[in-house]
Amino acid sequence: MRDYLVGGDEPGDLVDLRSDTFTLPTARMREAMARAPLGDDVFEEDPTVRHLEELAAQKVGKEAALFVVSGTMGNLVATLSHTQPGEEVILGLNSHIYGYEVGGLARIGGLMPRVVDDSAGIIRPEQVQNALRDANIHFAPTTLVCMENSHNMSGGRVMSVEQTKALADFAHERGFRLHMDGARIFNAAVALQVPVTELTKPVDSVMFCLSKGLSAPVGSLLAGDRGFIKRARKFRKLLGGGMRQAGVIAAAGVVALEEMVDRLGEDHARAKALAHGLSSVPGVKVIASNYQTNIVLIDIEETGLSSQEFARRLGERQIRVLTRTETALRAVVHRHIEDEDIDKAIAAFREVARGS
Ligand code: TLP
């Protein structure tokens, strides 16, 4: 039994590459959760939540931070706090906010999305420029730009400090704000070997997740200046996200930020090993050949199997992945994936690809 499993958790022989969201809390997280001092966080009286928010703000170089239930809630609260209904938001066609957050931007925010092509994982100032239109009575005014780092749908690609600064400068020159969906911003910082603040300082707000590679069971943070976080706190309440003794879960988040960032490089190294190994499997292609963090996209079209069927056959061999398109799969490496699991996964891909 692997050390992160306690009675009742899933057995350890499964290689679960579906997402880093499947990571279970560490023993130190469970201890911290049991010991955490608590209070009512709607009254801002939970000392553990306050500690987590202060630590988070300091980690990403912002004045303040807000603990939210999920990345989806953090992004929604951010877009609501930056805008008024009826405004236009520029964001990537493949971004999580646009494609995977149930349309909250439009439905709850009353916001008009205008998309640019982020299939390479980045948004350049020229693309935003091309999406802009002159002031005209017909148009919804643009006030916000959203970016994503690392970029999930392109296979975890990263946007550099220079690219982020260029986008932020462009947005600010035009009076727009820039929000970063940094669900995996620590993966990006580790991959780029830069302090995370270099990536987050240029943006007006950043959301990042504790519950992905950092292994906390629940929660994300939204960080920005004090006025922004004050508005965000109100929107979090509106959405039903005012939690009470939330220090129980925030305690795990503190451990996540203090202890789990530096090890992300191990996941990246194993993702590379997986990508290299899969490249040698006939019929299998690793899509984003410059995969940079913990996500690997795999094209299996040449095998003649649909991605659903390929994933099902991998599942029979105790390897779990998600389908990304009809012909592509996604594998995400995280703390529960060890070297032998990478070997097992490559061997299973080989078997399924050759139809044995
Ligand atoms: N991503 C999940 C799924 O929703 C696809 C995953 O397994 O990758 N931003 C980005 C870039 C994300 O990848 C995710 C989650 C979120 C936001 C939302 O976070 P949660 O799941 O906490 O709402």
Side-chain angles (χ1 to χ4, degrees), residues 12 45 83 98 126 136 139 183 185 237 249 256 297 309 331 350:
E45 286 179 17
T83 60
Y98 183 64
E126 309 84 80
N136 181 297
F139 305 152
I185 192 61
K237 189 78 182 89
I249 47 177
L297 295 182
E309 181 56 20
R350 200 178 291 282

Side-chain angles (χ1 to χ4, degrees), residues 190-202:
V190 167
L192 287 163
Q193 298 185 312
V194 295
V196 70
T197 48
E198 293 292 305
L199 295 170
T200 53
K201 269 199 187 134

Side-chain angles (χ1 to χ4, degrees), residues 18-22 69-73 75 95-97 100-101 148-153 181-184 207 209 211-212 219-220 295 322 330 332:
R18 285 176 296 173
S19 183
D20 45 10
T21 59
F22 285 85
V69 172
S70 63
T72 302
M73 182 182 275
N75 283 330
S95 65
H96 200 276
I97 297 179
Y100 292 81
E101 297 186 3
E148 187 175 309
N149 199 13
S150 66
H151 188 269
N152 187 342
M153 295 302 147
D181 175 349
R184 297 184 179 84
M207 183 287 292
C209 295
S211 58
K212 298 196 163 63
S220 297
I295 303 179
L322 288 184
R330 184 187 82 157
V332 183

Side-chain angles (χ1 to χ4, degrees), residues 259-276:
E259 298 182 5
M260 305 306 286
V261 172
D262 291 344
R263 62 154 306 288
L264 293 173
E266 289 175 33
D267 298 342
H268 301 174
R270 291 196 177 100
K272 281 193 175 58
L274 178 65
H276 289 151

